[in-house]
Amino acid sequence: VQLQASGGGLVQAGGSLRLSCAASGRIFSRSTMGWFRQAPGKEREFVAAINWTDGSTSYADSVKGRFTISRDNAKNTVYLQMNSLKPEDTAVYYCAADVYSGSYYPATALRMYDYWGQGTLVTVSS
């Protein structure tokens, strides 16, 4: 499975961006997909995830109500719509695939994810 993230950029506080992650391979439709981020000098952290069965989602408290994760299995793509962006959202955003756990509940732990994209930089100016 190869993952290609895109859509990052520079945006002012309060603005919006939509990230996309295109996946190769036939197992995308049976993988939980997640978004993580890593700010300079900080550890990578969970942002959002969506399972492959019924689209159940999970969000970090810091982004609830502002970010929305979705997926299009026909296009092998997962999205992260980010609204009301804040300077503290500045980070490199990574998409990841949990291929093997088969868990119904979208995983929030990094160790549950088997494949990672290269990251896309989001910069939010104040």
Side-chain angles (χ1 to χ4, degrees):
V1 176
Q2 292 185 326
L3 305 174
Q4 182 72 38
S6 62
L10 174 64
V11 63
Q12 289 189 330
S16 299
L17 281 175
R18 189 176 81 155
L19 305 183
S20 300
C21 176
S24 64
R26 293 181 294 176
I27 55 177
F28 172 85
S29 62
R30 298 180 66 84
S31 300
T32 286
M33 299 299 297
W35 285 97
F36 294 78
R37 67 186 181 187
Q38 188 166 17
K42 295 187 177 181
E43 294 185 349
R44 194 171 298 189
E45 64 177 7
F46 170 75
V47 175
I50 185 168
N51 76 358
W52 61 273
T53 52
D54 61 2
S56 179
T57 58
S58 180
Y59 294 94
D61 287 344
S62 59
V63 306
K64 279 182 182 176
R66 301 188 298 123
F67 291 10
T68 302
I69 188 171
S70 61
R71 66 190 296 161
D72 185 337
N73 287 343
K75 296 182 178 180
N76 279 9
T77 301
V78 62
Y79 305 97
L80 185 68
Q81 178 66 43
M82 305 186 295
N83 298 329
S84 302
L85 282 161
K86 304 175 181 179
E88 50 264 45
D89 294 319
T90 294
V92 176
Y93 283 72
Y94 299 89
C95 61
D98 168 11
V99 174
Y100 301 116
S101 76
S103 173
Y104 169 82
Y105 299 101
T108 62
L110 276 72
R111 60 180 173 80
M112 295 298 294
Y113 288 81
D114 311 292
Y115 297 95
W116 292 81
Q118 84 292 358
T120 184
L121 176 63
V122 172
T123 303
V124 184
S125 62
S126 57

